[in-house]
Amino acid sequence: MAKGTGKVLAQNKKAGHDYFIEEIYEAGLVLTGTEIKSIRAGKVQLKDSHIRIRNGEAWVYNMHVSPFDQGNRFNHDPLRNRKLLLHKRQIGQLVGAVKRDGYTIVPLKMYIKDGYAKLLIGLGKGKKDHDKRDDLRKKEAKREMERAFKDRQR
């Protein structure tokens, strides 16, 4: 199965708007029992989350996983930091890339693959305002062309 395939539960659309994504990695997550149940129910948000490398380990910050409805006292903290499962070589590549100017690691998509929750992370370089405007212009032009083509087909 290719990276990013499976049942998509959450997507960070803002990441594609704010960053040029250059490399993509697939990471597993260390989760508790109630967290995986909430994630399978689709109660997860990646909007303001980011990834840092600390002591040779990758951690995801500010990923919101809502408390499980039937979790009672065993529920988890919704914004706790969660460890990512990556190979040591991949973490080394990410550390080297982040040391370069303007690069950061952002979560792109969360999905279930073979029964496990996976997080698709990307190495991104921040976009400037003029880059964002250019992307919006290109997107609008493409939308107009598709609309015109669709009208011509009728």
Side-chain angles (χ1 to χ4, degrees):
M1 201 179 285
K3 289 182 186 175
T5 58
K7 182 183 175 196
V8 176
L9 303 169
Q11 203 165 8
N12 189 357
K13 294 178 182 176
K14 195 173 181 183
H17 179 71
D18 291 340
Y19 300 98
F20 293 113
I21 305 298
E22 295 186 1
E23 290 183 49
I24 294 177
Y25 298 92
E26 182 181 63
L29 289 146
V30 177
L31 300 169
T32 63
T34 58
E35 282 178 325
I36 189 63
K37 289 179 180 186
S38 287
I39 288 172
R40 286 176 195 265
K43 296 182 178 180
V44 61
Q45 281 189 342
L46 300 173
K47 189 164 74 172
D48 294 326
S49 57
H50 62 281
I51 296 165
R52 288 190 204 149
I53 308 293
R54 190 176 71 202
N55 297 331
E57 298 175 334
W59 293 81
V60 62
Y61 292 83
N62 290 337
M63 182 175 75
H64 188 276
V65 178
S66 297
F68 187 56
D69 294 335
Q70 290 86 33
N72 59 42
R73 68 175 186 207
F74 300 109
N75 260 332
H76 57 277
D77 178 26
L79 288 174
R80 80 174 184 91
N81 303 331
R82 293 163 180 89
K83 186 177 175 181
L84 294 178
L85 302 173
L86 289 165
H87 293 283
K88 191 175 263 189
R89 177 180 35 84
Q90 291 174 325
I91 292 174
Q93 290 172 347
L94 289 171
V95 167
V98 169
K99 285 184 180 177
R100 290 185 284 175
D101 209 22
Y103 282 89
T104 188
I105 310 167
V106 290
L108 303 173
K109 195 187 290 188
M110 178 172 275
Y111 52 94
I112 299 287
K113 178 179 173 184
D114 299 330
Y116 295 102
K118 300 287 184 178
L119 188 65
L120 201 66
I121 61 175
L123 180 67
K125 184 171 177 76
K127 286 185 182 179
K128 306 280 192 253
D129 286 339
H130 61 87
D131 293 328
K132 293 177 187 178
R133 285 192 297 268
D134 288 344
D135 283 350
L136 286 174
R137 274 192 218 108
K138 288 177 186 174
K139 196 174 184 180
E140 185 64 33
K142 183 179 176 185
R143 197 175 297 135
E144 288 295 325
M145 286 178 16
E146 287 175 356
R147 233 181 254 139
F149 185 72
K150 188 176 179 181
D151 290 341
R152 183 177 273 183
Q153 290 292 328
R154 290 182 193 181

